[in-house]
Amino acid sequence: HAVAETSGTLEAKAFVTRSEMVEHAFYQFLNLVQILGLHARANGVGGAAAVLALQTAPWLWRARVPVNSFSANYDLKRGGGDPRTLVNVMYRIKKYQYVFYKHALLHGLNVSACLAKAPPRVRGRLFRAYWLSLNAAYTHEFFLQTLVKRRVLPQPAMLALNKLLMAGSSVAAIGVLWRFVDFRVAGASLVLNFTHRHHDFANVLGLALVARGFRVLAER
């Protein structure tokens, strides 16, 4: 993986780097593939395992995409700043949000939808509110920093809006997590992230296979 020093544009003097734009584009593509797969399942398309494989396939190219670290902003061992400042506390929260998003709302939701007898109601208000807040959080961080650079928006206001986006996306995710995500699957995905790193495609498909096996045995 090509690793950049830091990730994020919360500081007043921060610039959006090319590597950050490339990485954000990768995750936006993941979101696109995920929602297309969920809509396909909602429209009665069969082959749940094939849909899951297509949703997860972009991870096969993750090593070619830059990695921008939130923790580099507040990790003193890596030359980061004071971890107690407001900006660095926000970066730490963003780090935790990313981990939760990846294993609960991305891998966890995809695997849970693959195993579910009825696909998630992606056209319902609950899911639409989550999807809107998720994509707003992704796109507005760079946009708000651009407004700061152009002196249209003061940095304190930008930070306040980022807090609102972070809180809003977290609240909107609660209903989706509760109704559509198997927490055992999300937890297993998190464990695999530390025990079998950089193998998301194999981890997700293997997890789905094992979870399906346990479900079949439980139904006997």
Side-chain angles (χ1 to χ4, degrees):
H1 294 266
V3 183
E5 288 298 320
T6 60
S7 176
T9 56
L10 297 180
E11 296 93 344
K13 297 181 179 180
F15 286 91
V16 180
T17 65
R18 181 180 180 278
S19 64
E20 285 179 302
M21 290 189 287
V22 171
E23 187 178 29
H24 267 239
F26 172 78
Y27 282 102
Q28 285 292 79
F29 182 68
L30 277 174
N31 290 339
L32 174 63
V33 175
Q34 179 184 42
I35 196 63
L36 289 175
L38 292 175
H39 272 285
R41 296 279 290 121
N43 289 330
V45 174
V51 171
L52 177 63
L54 290 173
Q55 288 174 315
T56 316
W59 287 96
L60 293 171
W61 290 275
R62 182 64 180 97
R64 300 183 181 183
V65 179
V67 177
N68 298 273
S69 173
F70 282 123
S71 58
N73 291 285
Y74 56 81
D75 189 342
L76 297 177
K77 295 180 180 179
R78 300 168 64 183
D82 186 348
R84 296 168 296 181
T85 64
L86 172 61
V87 168
N88 282 336
V89 169
M90 290 178 67
Y91 278 134
R92 187 183 292 272
I93 295 173
K94 281 178 174 287
K95 170 70 174 182
Y96 297 151
Q97 283 186 318
Y98 164 73
V99 173
F100 194 75
Y101 151 78
K102 178 182 177 182
H103 298 291
L105 296 166
L106 195 62
H107 295 336
L109 177 57
N110 288 343
V111 174
S112 297
C114 175
L115 299 174
K117 295 180 179 178
R121 293 182 58 204
V122 292
R123 294 187 180 88
R125 290 184 179 180
L126 180 70
F127 195 91
R128 286 184 175 185
Y130 157 69
W131 197 249
L132 176 63
S133 64
L134 172 67
N135 286 278
Y138 259 107
T139 57
H140 277 60
E141 182 179 350
F142 290 171
F143 174 66
L144 293 174
Q145 180 61 18
T146 301
L147 295 182
V148 172
K149 288 297 179 186
R150 292 183 175 274
R151 299 182 180 179
V152 176
L153 185 72
Q155 195 211 12
M158 181 268 284
L159 292 176
L161 289 172
N162 266 284
K163 292 177 190 176
L164 182 62
L165 286 170
M166 292 164 67
S169 59
S170 298
V171 171
I174 293 174
V176 173
L177 290 167
W178 186 257
R179 294 187 60 180
F180 305 129
V181 176
D182 187 327
F183 286 91
R184 295 168 297 182
V185 168
S189 176
L190 179 61
V191 171
L192 287 171
N193 183 69
F194 294 106
T195 59
H196 196 225
R197 292 179 64 81
H198 308 315
H199 295 88
D200 289 87
F201 185 77
N203 289 347
V204 168
L205 295 189
L207 176 58
L209 182 62
V210 171
R212 177 59 180 168
F214 275 114
R215 181 164 295 185
V216 169
L217 291 175
E219 292 174 352
R220 287 183 176 179

